[in-house]
Amino acid sequence: MNQLVFVENNEVVTDSLTIAEMFGKDHGNVLKDIRKQVEYAGEEFAQVNFYSGSYLDKNNQSRPKFNLTEDAFALVVFSYNTKEAVQTKIKFIQEFRRMKEFIQKQAYTPTDNTIEFEKHLIGVKYTSEILRVDEPSKIRMLEEAHKQHGVPTNHLPVYVEEELKVSLTQLLKEHDVKMSAAKANTRLIELGLLEIKERPSSKGGTKEFKSLTNEGQYFGSNAISPHNSKETQPLYYPSKFSELIPLLLGQVKEVS
């Protein structure tokens, strides 16, 4: 084994094959340990620390494997506690540290940084258009892109929201509307004010999330979800909610 850890997609990781070899374990058993920790850790942690992939075996057949960050590695090997296993853990920890220190000392060339920054801005533009996010979310996305590439943010606008937006659940409760948020969302979809969108899941397949349509944005706007930056979270204007209640209750059949 040449390297215990390596850089992939700008992140320092190891993989399940390396863990299996270094700890003297069957790769299939290591995969079981990893999948158990993915399940226990929850989606939010798993998405940014475990990355499923594949490799070609000696028969040129595609087989599953995982890349793991240092935090994910620590979870998986936590129970490997023989003397030899502990010494192996120390080697990994030292190598993670060494590789991170090496990366920190490297700097992008101006040309590389410019190209990557421009690509990032294009991604922000199309993502914000597809998700129909509100202005504060667009500015936060731009700020994050600038900070990631070391570009000053003092030229970006400071956006002050004119009206606070809150969740559908909160407004239903405040207005004493006898309807669950799930039922209200179904009604909003029927009215064409809300729609279900999909994004790729880290485990394969897709994940669904809700987004206000162009017509629905009269009643609120789409903020970036605090749980996943690839999803939106519909929020609503309290001042417009009294207009929305008759629509939710079926007292008005369609949006005027």
Side-chain angles (χ1 to χ4, degrees), residues 130-131 195-201 205-211 230-231:
I130 291 168
L131 295 180
E195 66 179 342
I196 301 296
K197 285 182 167 285
E198 294 182 343
R199 66 167 178 83
S201 169
T206 58
K207 291 281 290 183
E208 293 184 344
F209 62 95
K210 300 175 185 67
S211 176
K230 298 177 183 177
E231 299 180 2

Side-chain angles (χ1 to χ4, degrees), residues 53-73:
S54 62
Y55 71 100
L56 296 177
D57 66 12
K58 61 183 179 181
N59 297 317
N60 209 34
Q61 298 294 312
S62 180
R63 302 292 184 190
K65 75 162 191 168
F66 276 88
N67 284 353
L68 300 84
T69 66
E70 185 174 8
D71 288 342
F73 165 81

Side-chain angles (χ1 to χ4, degrees), residues 118-133 138 141 197:
E118 289 176 350
K119 287 180 181 177
H120 201 152
L121 291 181
I122 292 170
V124 168
K125 176 180 184 295
Y126 284 103
T127 299
S128 63
E129 289 176 356
I130 291 168
L131 295 180
R132 293 193 292 266
V133 297
K138 290 178 186 177
M141 292 166 72
K197 285 182 167 285

